[in-house]
Structure formats: structure tokens, C-alpha cells
Amino acid sequence: MRWSQAFIPTLRDDPAGAEAISHKLLVRGGFMRQLMSGSYSLLPAGFKVRSKIRTIIEQEINGIGGQEFLLPVLHPAEIWHRSGRWEVVGDELFRLKDRRGVDHALGFTHEEIFTLVATELKSYKELPQLWYHFQTKLRDEPRPKSGLLRVREFVMKDSYSFDMDVEGQAVQFDNHHAAYVRIFKRMGLETVAVEASSGAMGGSDSIEFMVKSTAGEDLVARCPSCDYAANVERATSRIPKVDDGPGLDAPEKFATPDVRTIDALANFEGGAAAEHQIKTLVHIAEGEPLLILLRGDHPLQEQKLTDHLAAQTLRPAKEDEIVDLLGAHPGSLGAVGVSGVRTIADPELMGRTSMTTGANEDDYHLRGVNVSRDITVDEWVDLREVRAGEGCPNCDGTLEVFKAIEVGHIFKLGTRYSEALGANVLDENGKARPIVMGSYGIGLGRAVAAVAEVHNDDKGLVWPVSVAPWEVVITLVKLDEETVAAGEKMYEELQADGIDVLLDDRSERPGVKFNDAELIGIPFRITLGPRGLAEGIAEFQARTDGESTDLDIHEAIAHVVELVTAGRNA
């Protein structure tokens, strides 16, 4: 491609409101433009990067037996009703009616539709199967942000495995795990595979592939001393046991005027430190109230509660609902003496004595509470969010917690969708059995953004060779006849060697050309000018280190081809 003919609209300034580095640089580098909140147009350079990422994914998924499909984006609501997700997904699912008034959904994901196709499988002899496609997904994100990292419209590779039993499904899950490691390595991403929540996808085992980044919206807990890593939505930890000291024979009520928070009670004379308090929260699940109990200094990890309840609707109770239920306002709540309300407690409260909690009377608390004696707990469930510095659950190490970008997610779906949609096959004994399924996703646009987040410097993007829009740029510092001829010759030779090359033949100042090449992150630059050509040399620069070296003009092609080939295979 000749730069004079290319559409690469670089900008000097960051887009207004952009915070993520990838958002700033992908707009400034002419890779994309915003249409509206959460919706972006990919320009030619951005499309080339995404296409190279798609090729990497395609090669690796084909390598483990994948067969490519293309399924519709417009889905009849009836299929989502049959799977139960019309209600579960909630407002993120785009819903619409056609001219006949029939409900439809825009593809949030494609478990239902692939399962419907799988109903044509009839015998165990046709299994296993691995199907995938690259297709647009649409999600009504409440807070689209950070450029391509959180959008409302995006292209995803989602693949689906179909097996006779869980053993076969485990093989496909492990194959995908290994393929994803290779995919992200080829993109230039160092990922951490973490235990995760399956969320609205359902199923059992779930692994997310995370890239450490301050632009990430997920929190990952990882132990540097072993291989433990988990999204905080699933993470557990070891914490020191608390010595409660001697307890009281019965809870004692005491006045706490204007005390409404854990910290306020900790600082109140006669109060209690946060680790000796019981935090009482009220939520409404499927229209029914429930009490959630945690140690005062432990935050609720809501996804853990959602996963445990498997409720289609879950929300914090409103203040009037809380008063009607317990007779007091938030800040004075407790579970002592409460009956007939489902109560879920975190295990860190198990066996605790001498605890302090709300008395269910405004401006009063109870001290000397013995959890096993004074509170009826229906379920003990890990509900707390782990924090950095807590002990690893698998070894003597200490957890670190960091922000990360989720770039891939693999699920063991089991038979949830096959049972709901009738995807059964006959086993060896002629008995109909539901197909065991798995689901595996990678968002292409998010992958582009993740690579940009990791590979950049103060001058712009620094693309790995494997995904760079162009592998080499030939910069002509002057457009005299000799320089143009040398540039054209080198351009044609590199193309003949299969190199993705951009010839900067624009009538611009050398500084503008150098700055643009650095901004858009082309891995290698060859600079040609009259002075160098007179001496038989070309200036060579690698984007990663910025160091310039002089090459013999006759050796430059071979040198660059060798470096590009090595970069592709890195």
C-alpha cells in the first residue's frame, strides 16, 4: 500500500473523554472512529489488525478440529424463552418486534442457535463435534467505555463443543485452553488463566484469560508463589482467625445514637472493631427477602451471591422494604431473633462470639452476640471479596490483586442448553441422551484494544509483527527521482517476498512521516534519502527500541525479511 493512497487519518490530540491508552491511540492512529457510545467504525488500519488476529484464531481453532459456520444475528424470542435466558439476561439483551408484532432478540451470544443446529445430530457416532463462527454480537451495555474494551456492538469468535459425556467435553475444554494460550502468545499478550463465574452463560467450570492492565474492569487475585489465580468473583483466601474473648450469657442492647455505619460503630465509645461486627444486608431475590451476613470489615462480592442463588432477579432491598421487614432503617439492622426470613452467612462468622450487630431498632445495637446461639443461619456460603495481602488458599503465599482485561472465556456448559432445546443423540444402547456442551469466546475488538494497551510507548503504538497493520514502512525523506525509484524497487521486492509493506510516498516533511510511523506502530522502518543512497546505505529502525542503524542497500531486504519472519513466529 502506498501511503499517499491510503486512508490513515492520524490526529495530534487525544479524543475528548478518552481514558484508556488503547482508546486514545487507536483513534489518534487512524484505526477507528466512534459512531455513538459503544459503537465504532474500524478504518482500514484497524480492520487489518483485527483481520490478522482473526487469522491467528482461525488457524488455532481449525488446528483442534474446528469447523466454521455463520449463524444469524437476529434470533426469534421463542428460542431464548425455551432456554430460559429471555428473562435471565435482562436489559443487556436487545429486544425488538417485527412488523407482525413478533418478539425477536439481537444476538447477545449464540449458545441457543448452535444448539438448535445440533438437534440434527442423531447418534453418538457423530460426536465429538467442534463448531465455531465469527459473528457480530450486540449487548445493551449500561456503561460502554474505554473504546473497544466495553462496547455495544462487537465481533466475537465463539466456538461450541458437542460430546457424548463429560469426559469427552473435558478433552475439548483442555484443547481450547491450550489453543487459547497459543493464540494470545501469538498476539503478543501475556495472559493469566483464572477461575471465573459462568454468569448468564451457565454451566460449571469457567476459565477467563486475563491481561494485566490498569484499563481493566476485572479484578484478579493471584498468588506469585503458586499457580492459584481467580477472578475476585470466585476467589477465596486464608485470613487470620479473630480471638473474640469471653462472651456474654445473652445479647445486651445498648444505645448508639446516629451510628449508621461499620466505621461509626468502630469509633463509638462502647462499640466494637469492624472484625467484631456483623454486617447485615437485605436483598430481594425472585421477589422474596433474604438476609446476608458478613463480618463487618468484609465487603460482599455480589457475583458470589448471584451464582449461589441462581436467581433471575436479585437486587438490594429498598429502604421502605427493609423497615417493613425488620422494623428499622439501614445502620441498625441485625439477624438476632429474626425468623421466617432466609438467612445466608459467610463462613468467617461461623463459631464467632462476642459480636456486635444492629438491634433492629433505630439507634440501638446488640453486643455479646453468639452467632450459633442467637442467629438462625439457613446457609453458609462464601460471600466475601478477597483483598490483596490475604493468604493464598493453596499455599503459604500471599495474594496480590490487580486490574485486568478479560480477553477470552471458556465454559463447561454441560447439558443446560441441549436439555432445554432437545439436542439429544442415541448412545451405544439406543437410549436418547442430551449432548454435553462447551462454549468458548474471544472478542476480536477487545483483543485489538488489549494488544494496544500492552504494546505502546510515549510516541504511540508498538504492534507485535504478528498483528501489525503493516510490518514494514519505507519512508522517503525526499521525493527526488532517485529516491522514489529506490523506494519503489524496495517496495516491490518486499511485496514479492510476502512482506506487508507501506510505502510512505507522501509530500510531507520527514518529521511528520517519522511521527506518523511511530504513532501507528509499524514494527520496522526503512528510511531512504539522497544522502544515504549516495553512500549505498539505508537507515533501519525497529519500533521496539527506536535505535537506528545503517544497512547496505543491497542487504536491507534480506535483513528485514529475516526479522519479519522471526517476528511472525515469535
Side-chain angles (χ1 to χ4, degrees):
M1 172 61 80
R2 289 173 170 79
W3 203 318
S4 61
Q5 299 172 352
F7 183 64
I8 312 173
T10 58
L11 302 174
R12 179 176 299 177
D13 299 319
D14 293 335
E19 297 179 359
I21 293 172
S22 60
H23 187 185
K24 296 175 182 178
L25 292 179
L26 289 172
V27 172
R28 284 186 55 211
F31 292 85
M32 68 182 194
R33 289 292 184 267
Q34 181 171 319
L35 175 63
M36 59 181 176
S37 178
S39 180
Y40 289 84
S41 300
L42 283 185
L43 308 186
F47 187 79
K48 281 175 67 68
V49 174
R50 196 184 73 172
S51 295
K52 291 185 177 183
I53 287 174
R54 172 178 171 146
T55 297
I56 291 171
I57 296 170
E58 195 170 36
Q59 290 171 349
E60 295 294 345
I61 300 303
N62 286 344
I64 59 173
Q67 303 171 73
E68 188 168 359
F69 288 57
L70 184 61
L71 274 59
V73 175
L74 184 64
H75 303 169
E78 180 266 338
I79 295 176
W80 284 74
H81 280 298
R82 287 171 61 187
S83 72
R85 289 208 296 178
W86 183 260
E87 295 80 15
V88 170
V89 172
D91 291 339
E92 287 189 22
L93 182 65
F94 277 108
R95 297 168 170 84
L96 69 157
K97 293 181 183 291
D98 65 18
R99 65 180 65 197
R100 298 179 305 243
V102 178
D103 286 326
H104 292 75
L106 297 178
F108 176 92
T109 182
H110 279 75
E111 279 79 6
E112 284 84 355
I113 315 305
F114 267 99
T115 306
L116 193 65
V117 176
T119 59
E120 296 195 33
L121 298 169
K122 300 303 179 185
S123 169
Y124 73 96
K125 295 179 182 179
E126 298 176 83
L127 300 179
Q129 293 282 336
L130 174 54
W131 301 345
Y132 75 100
H133 69 167
F134 294 89
Q135 182 56 286
T136 299
K137 315 291 181 183
L138 295 115
R139 298 180 182 178
D140 194 1
E141 287 284 353
R143 294 175 298 278
K145 58 179 291 191
S146 303
L148 296 179
L149 290 176
R150 182 161 295 280
V151 292
R152 299 200 294 174
E153 177 182 348
F154 58 97
V155 172
M156 176 180 281
K157 184 287 301 177
D158 43 330
S159 47
Y160 300 86
S161 60
F162 304 87
D163 286 273
M164 193 69 233
D165 49 37
V166 294
E167 291 77 17
Q169 201 277 321
V171 171
Q172 299 227 52
F173 188 86
D174 291 343
N175 287 345
H176 268 85
H177 190 292
Y180 274 34
V181 170
R182 294 191 296 269
I183 286 167
F184 296 124
K185 182 179 179 181
R186 290 178 63 183
M187 289 183 197
L189 293 176
E190 180 181 344
T191 57
V192 179
V194 307
E195 299 174 17
S197 167
S198 296
M201 301 302 176
S204 54
D205 293 358
S206 172
I207 299 292
E208 290 172 336
F209 290 81
M210 295 290 198
V211 174
K212 189 175 183 179
S213 171
T214 56
E217 292 188 313
D218 288 274
L219 289 174
V220 169
R222 180 176 65 178
C223 176
S225 302
C226 69
D227 60 356
Y228 179 77
N231 191 306
V232 293
E233 295 175 349
R234 289 289 301 273
T236 60
S237 65
R238 290 180 296 102
I239 58 175
K241 294 299 180 183
V242 178
D243 182 9
D244 289 326
L248 300 178
D249 292 336
E252 177 182 282
K253 186 167 74 171
F254 65 106
T256 52
D258 299 322
V259 171
R260 296 288 183 269
T261 66
I262 298 294
D263 287 342
L265 185 59
N267 294 316
F268 182 78
E269 185 175 356
E275 61 268 26
H276 293 282
Q277 297 183 45
I278 301 173
K279 181 189 299 181
T280 305
L281 306 173
V282 184
H283 276 55
I284 306 296
E286 306 286 13
E288 296 296 326
L290 62 119
L291 299 187
I292 302 151
L293 309 181
L294 299 104
R295 208 172 86 177
D297 56 338
H298 289 167
L300 170 67
Q301 172 42 249
E302 292 199 12
Q303 189 62 49
K304 288 184 177 182
L305 178 63
T306 299
D307 290 345
H308 171 71
L309 296 172
Q312 293 187 10
T313 59
L314 175 67
R315 61 173 175 83
K318 299 174 183 176
E319 188 166 335
D320 60 336
E321 294 172 323
I322 293 172
V323 174
D324 289 343
L325 180 70
L326 298 177
H329 292 82
S332 300
L333 306 180
V336 174
V338 175
S339 61
V341 182
R342 184 180 180 183
T343 301
I344 303 174
D346 185 85
E348 290 301 324
L349 292 177
M350 192 176 291
R352 296 295 302 277
T353 60
S354 297
M355 300 296 283
T356 300
T357 189
N360 288 332
E361 182 179 343
D362 287 344
D363 297 323
Y364 285 90
H365 281 74
L366 298 173
R367 60 166 64 98
V369 174
N370 181 315
V371 174
S372 61
R373 179 193 65 197
D374 302 320
I375 298 175
T376 301
V377 176
D378 298 299
E379 299 151 75
W380 295 96
V381 179
D382 173 26
L383 296 174
R384 70 180 183 88
E385 183 169 296
V386 305
R387 290 178 290 194
E390 295 177 349
C392 173
N394 288 357
C395 74
D396 293 331
T398 300
L399 294 180
E400 59 178 8
V401 177
F402 55 83
K403 286 185 175 182
I405 300 167
E406 178 198 327
V407 292
H409 204 160
I410 59 179
F411 305 84
K412 289 183 179 179
L413 297 176
T415 59
R416 170 181 174 176
Y417 296 94
S418 54
E419 289 181 356
L421 298 169
N424 302 305
V425 294
L426 298 179
D427 64 14
E428 294 173 321
N429 300 314
K431 181 179 179 180
R433 291 171 53 185
I435 296 172
V436 181
M437 293 175 55
S439 175
Y440 319 87
I442 297 176
L444 272 64
R446 183 176 290 187
V448 171
V451 177
E453 284 290 334
V454 172
H455 295 279
N456 65 79
D457 61 18
D458 58 353
K459 296 178 181 179
L461 294 158
V462 188
W463 294 110
V465 173
S466 60
V467 299
W470 295 276
E471 295 161 327
V472 180
V473 57
I474 302 170
T475 302
L476 308 181
V477 295
K478 285 191 176 181
L479 299 183
D480 61 283
E481 185 175 344
E482 184 180 0
T483 302
V484 170
E488 291 284 353
K489 183 175 183 295
M490 186 173 288
Y491 175 64
E492 291 173 1
E493 290 180 2
L494 284 170
Q495 283 189 316
D497 286 328
I499 304 301
D500 201 350
V501 58
L502 181 65
L503 177 63
D504 193 349
D505 58 345
R506 294 176 295 166
S507 180
E508 291 283 0
R509 300 188 311 276
V512 172
K513 293 184 177 185
F514 296 152
N515 289 341
D516 280 349
E518 289 172 335
L519 174 61
I520 68 175
I522 300 174
F524 304 112
R525 187 178 82 208
I526 299 172
T527 303
L528 299 177
R531 183 180 302 176
L533 290 174
E535 299 175 7
I537 62 173
E539 182 185 287
F540 172 80
Q541 186 180 79
R543 181 68 181 85
T544 50
D545 58 23
E547 295 295 324
S548 296
T549 56
D550 290 337
L551 300 176
D552 184 287
I553 193 71
H554 301 294
E555 298 174 357
I557 298 294
H559 182 74
V560 169
V561 170
E562 181 180 355
L563 289 175
V564 169
T565 301
R568 289 174 178 173
N569 298 325

